[in-house]
Amino acid sequence: MPRAEAVRIAALIEGKGLGRFKEAIARLTIAAARCRKADLPEAAQILDAMRQDYLTR
């Protein structure tokens, strides 16, 4: 769970702070898949929601 939060913060900085949405989306996609594999559905859902937001930009 802490690792998912670290990825979320990194993607937030990368996307909104640096405008590198493509890279942030890739980071979020991989991290959400890892969370699902580790049986952390809530963390995966949070990362997927951020990814979806970035895809619409």
Side-chain angles (χ1 to χ4, degrees), residues 10-21 54:
L12 183 65
I13 293 168
E14 195 167 41
K16 291 187 179 183
L18 301 174
R20 294 174 27 190
F21 291 102
Y54 283 5

Side-chain angles (χ1 to χ4, degrees), residues 7-44:
V7 170
R8 188 187 72 80
I9 297 296
L12 183 65
I13 293 168
E14 195 167 41
K16 291 187 179 183
L18 301 174
R20 294 174 27 190
F21 291 102
K22 183 178 178 181
E23 292 85 350
I25 290 166
R27 179 186 309 280
L28 290 165
T29 301
I30 292 167
R34 286 181 179 164
C35 287
R36 281 189 287 281
K37 187 175 179 179
D39 197 28
L40 298 169
E42 185 179 346

Side-chain angles (χ1 to χ4, degrees), residues 25 28 46-57:
I25 290 166
L28 290 165
I46 292 167
L47 298 175
D48 283 334
M50 181 180 253
R51 179 183 170 270
Q52 191 60 40
D53 178 49
Y54 283 5
L55 283 169
T56 61
R57 293 179 187 260

